[in-house]
Amino acid sequence: MGGFDPQTFPGIPALGLSREYQETAARLLELSKQFQQRYAEFAQQNAAIMQDAFQVMKKRLDAAPPAPSSPTELYDAWIDCAEGTYAQAAHSERFARLLAELCNISSAFKVERGKLTEQIARHLDLPSRAEVDTLHHQVRALKLAMRAAAPRAAKAAALHATASRPAAPRPAASRPPSARAKSSKPPPKPRKRGKK
Amino acid sequence: MNTANDPFAEMLQSAAAMQESGRAVLRTMMGLGDVEVGTSEKRCVYSEDKICLYRYTALARSANFKPVLICYAMVNRPYLLDLQPDRSFIRELLLAGLDVYLLDWGYPDGADRFLGLDVYVDGYLRRCVEFVLNEHAIDSLTLLGVCQGGTLSLCYAALEHRQIAQLITMVTPVDFKTPENLLSKWAQHIDVGLLTQSGNVSGDFLNLIYLSLMPFRLTQQKYVNLLQLQGDRVQLENFMRMEKWIFDSPDQPATAFREFIQWFFQENRLIRDELTLAGRPVRLENLTAPVLNIFASKDHLVPPSASIPLGARIGSKDYQSLEVDAGHIGLYVGGKTRKSVPAAVVAWLQSRR
């Protein structure tokens, strides 16, 4: 009797009460499988780069006697060969695509894992990512509203301060009415503009 | 042992000497303790959320330049510019009598995941610029952008050109799609929307990518080369400071990171005049202030070809570029460049007073 084959699991349609969880779990399994495949390709590619680097090193040693006289020289020569060969491969479209696929699969895995964690958090009445995100948005909106309102609040406060200040007794004829009207405005902020 | 004319014996002797060096290095490293970084005196003069605007304490009589605001990259910590007293770009500026401010983006966390580039450029950077302008009661300042911070500075300077008296960009990518740009080639097929869907992008992930650009040198050779230091304490401390800086990488706020990769690396919007920030078009031709563009000839992160096109795109008639024989990091801490680069910056500012 054959045992459970995890490779076939993602193909089974999700059914019943736990179908949502089954789907997430199936997707996680599928992504793990994809990652393993791509990673194997990536490792194969790296092995090919190393093989090429060894060939370059061999050519270099054969072509340019005398051979390195110290382990340091030999090692540095190897690093030059390896880095040069790697750089050639790393600039290729194939390398970039493979690296991106690994990254994208890994990102998709994290997203699915997040969904599962979210579900578990809700069941345990723990703060979930979605809940925290909502709070962040609300705090941000509040901050923006406060920043937008700040100049108006400052203006109102200045007006209030001026209005509540007792008027200084002065002779009625000493200033023209227009000047008296001006004095009810908040005092201008002194600010010198110019080079330091 | 007489090893003359016996290459194998010479190799063995050399290997034995390396083993002894390794022991000396380990002995010294075990006694090093924590290394100090960012040693120049500074105080936080403005802060908001995770960001902090620092003002450095003067080290010389003021040379009466406009204050310099340094906008560093978000992907690394800014203390690279002030790593230690004898390797400090900032200290050199201070010694020349400049008034130096530094915008530190801090360590973003989950609370910052929805902040877009407009918040960073039109929000945080704007308020830091305005703080400095108000503090000195001036209309414009010198903005100095480093790497990604240079790109953000370019955006700001294009939006608010009247506030920028001079702009200095250092190892700043402008054209993100040149053939030498390996980072860009790798970024093209990344689904960055999916990458950032589950939150901020970890600093460890970015470090993994950086190390992958030159894996043999960055993960092997540089450690093997430690053996050559023969347990020299000062050199090992220098090495450890740099090692600390390299791996002290903040997580990247998801939305801003997504926008940066998509808009700059994948769509190359800045140089194509297609970038919009905070609802306003960012046009390099609006940048009319004098510009000094410094790039490094051996830069494996921002190749010169990514920085050079700036001159042809801006509206400024006063543009100067400076190619330095160094790498992306060596520009600030290298043997010769750590003095010559700040000196060049000061001389350039001096001639534009």
Side-chain angles (χ1 to χ4, degrees):
Chain A
M1 198 173 116
F4 171 68
D5 178 9
Q7 299 290 327
T8 60
F9 182 65
I12 301 170
L15 300 167
L17 185 66
S18 63
R19 75 169 304 283
E20 297 303 308
Y21 303 98
Q22 289 172 40
E23 280 199 336
T24 309
R27 178 96 181 113
L28 281 169
L29 269 175
E30 173 58 25
L31 287 166
S32 303
K33 205 172 100 182
Q34 283 179 22
F35 188 85
Q36 279 170 14
Q37 282 169 351
R38 290 291 175 281
Y39 191 76
E41 280 177 54
F42 191 68
Q44 213 169 19
Q45 181 181 253
N46 285 344
I49 292 171
M50 292 298 278
Q51 240 171 2
D52 290 348
F54 279 123
Q55 289 303 318
V56 174
M57 178 74 174
K58 190 174 175 299
K59 268 187 201 164
R60 184 165 165 169
L61 290 178
D62 290 346
S69 61
S70 70
T72 313
E73 265 183 47
L74 186 69
Y75 178 71
D76 287 347
W78 159 244
I79 292 290
D80 286 347
C81 295
E83 207 66 87
T85 314
Y86 175 82
Q88 264 188 332
H91 274 276
S92 70
E93 178 70 9
R94 181 171 177 259
F95 190 100
R97 281 200 183 274
L98 206 46
L99 197 66
E101 277 172 26
L102 273 175
C103 177
N104 294 343
I105 294 168
S106 157
S107 303
F109 187 89
K110 277 176 82 178
V111 170
E112 292 301 324
R113 192 186 57 188
K115 285 180 192 167
L116 203 60
T117 316
E118 188 83 16
Q119 288 164 343
I120 294 166
R122 274 206 304 269
H123 279 302
L124 298 174
D125 195 26
L126 291 172
S128 68
R129 186 70 246 176
E131 186 181 332
V132 176
D133 285 354
T134 306
L135 290 172
H136 283 320
H137 282 304
Q138 286 172 351
V139 170
R140 186 80 203 144
L142 273 172
K143 274 187 173 178
L144 287 175
M146 276 176 68
R147 193 179 293 285
R152 272 181 290 150
K155 203 174 165 185
L159 273 172
H160 179 74
T162 315
S164 58
R165 198 183 302 150
R170 64 170 72 93
S174 66
R175 299 179 80 187
S178 57
R180 278 203 301 277
K182 267 183 197 167
S183 70
S184 66
K185 284 185 183 171
K189 217 175 161 185
R191 185 158 179 248
K192 222 167 72 185
R193 305 285 287 187
K195 207 172 171 184
K196 189 194 154 193
Chain B
M1 184 169 69
N2 183 14
T3 59
N5 301 325
D6 184 350
F8 185 67
E10 273 177 32
M11 278 273 194
L12 278 180
Q13 201 173 40
S14 193
M18 279 175 74
Q19 202 178 13
E20 185 46 45
S21 281
R23 279 200 208 104
V25 167
L26 272 179
R27 267 197 303 270
T28 313
M29 284 183 105
M30 284 168 79
L32 279 185
D34 283 343
V35 286
E36 223 183 329
V37 289
T39 51
S40 297
E41 195 180 303
K42 62 184 187 295
R43 65 192 172 92
C44 184
V45 289
Y46 174 77
S47 66
E48 186 186 340
D49 300 335
K50 305 290 188 312
I51 71 136
C52 183
L53 177 67
Y54 287 105
R55 185 178 190 179
Y56 283 86
T57 305
L59 291 178
R61 228 173 76 182
S62 172
N64 287 322
F65 287 107
K66 295 225 173 194
V68 177
L69 170 58
I70 299 177
C71 175
Y72 197 76
M74 293 162 68
V75 291
N76 283 114
R77 301 292 296 140
Y79 58 77
L80 173 72
L81 303 180
D82 185 33
L83 205 56
Q84 60 195 74
D86 61 340
R87 290 176 186 213
S88 171
F89 175 80
I90 287 174
R91 197 177 167 81
E92 294 300 321
L93 298 185
L94 293 169
L95 287 170
L98 267 69
D99 200 345
V100 181
Y101 289 82
L102 171 77
L103 167 51
D104 181 347
W105 301 109
Y107 293 88
D109 61 24
D112 306 300
R113 66 195 296 181
F114 298 112
L115 304 185
L117 279 180
D118 55 344
V119 174
Y120 281 91
V121 176
D122 197 46
Y124 297 139
L125 178 54
R126 167 182 298 283
R127 288 189 281 281
C128 287
V129 168
E130 287 174 354
F131 178 90
V132 177
L133 295 181
N134 280 326
E135 191 75 357
H136 293 260
I138 51 175
D139 295 315
S140 61
L141 50 67
T142 299
L143 186 58
L144 190 156
V146 177
C147 186
Q148 181 198 27
T151 310
L152 302 181
S153 299
L154 277 171
C155 294
Y156 188 78
L159 288 173
E160 297 298 343
H161 56 100
R162 285 187 187 87
Q163 291 180 343
I164 309 301
Q166 286 108 11
L167 177 70
I168 300 163
T169 51
M170 300 183 79
V171 288
T172 292
V174 182
D175 184 348
F176 285 77
K177 282 196 173 182
T178 55
E180 298 79 11
N181 197 333
L182 184 55
L183 211 50
S184 170
K185 283 181 181 169
W186 289 356
Q188 297 310 311
H189 307 294
I190 302 263
D191 186 343
V192 72
L194 191 62
L195 176 68
T196 52
Q197 203 175 317
S198 43
N200 292 349
V201 176
S202 77
D204 290 341
F205 173 79
L206 292 185
N207 277 330
L208 183 66
I209 297 290
Y210 297 148
L211 294 179
S212 304
L213 292 171
M214 288 200 295
F216 297 93
R217 288 196 204 291
L218 300 179
T219 67
Q220 298 173 23
Q221 192 185 30
K222 79 167 192 183
Y223 299 106
V224 173
N225 283 351
L226 276 179
L227 298 178
Q228 288 166 17
L229 300 182
Q230 303 282 345
D232 181 327
R233 192 183 174 88
V234 174
Q235 297 259 43
L236 282 171
E237 277 178 347
N238 292 348
F239 179 88
M240 288 310 292
R241 278 190 198 94
M242 187 52 75
E243 191 74 347
K244 176 182 170 59
W245 176 79
I246 289 169
F247 295 106
D248 183 7
S249 302
D251 292 347
Q252 293 304 292
T255 306
F257 184 81
R258 173 174 54 74
E259 290 173 351
F260 194 77
I261 298 297
Q262 195 179 325
W263 295 350
F264 291 86
F265 276 97
Q266 294 179 340
E267 298 171 2
N268 214 4
R269 286 191 192 184
L270 180 64
I271 202 153
R272 294 171 64 181
D273 274 343
E274 289 170 0
L275 182 65
T276 302
L277 275 181
R280 297 164 65 195
V282 178
R283 300 290 173 261
L284 288 174
E285 64 185 11
N286 290 344
L287 210 171
T288 49
V291 174
L292 173 63
N293 185 17
I294 302 172
F295 52 89
S297 55
K298 293 174 189 152
D299 197 331
H300 72 291
L301 285 165
V302 182
S305 61
S307 303
I308 290 170
L310 178 64
R313 299 290 174 154
I314 52 174
S316 174
K317 290 185 174 69
D318 183 358
Y319 171 82
Q320 192 179 321
S321 64
L322 174 66
E323 180 166 6
V324 181
D325 182 23
H328 192 74
I329 311 301
L331 186 76
Y332 309 101
V333 294
K336 289 174 190 163
T337 52
R338 65 182 180 230
K339 293 270 181 194
S340 65
V341 173
V345 168
V346 173
W348 183 81
L349 288 171
Q350 189 109 40
S351 62
R352 275 153 190 84
R353 268 206 291 199

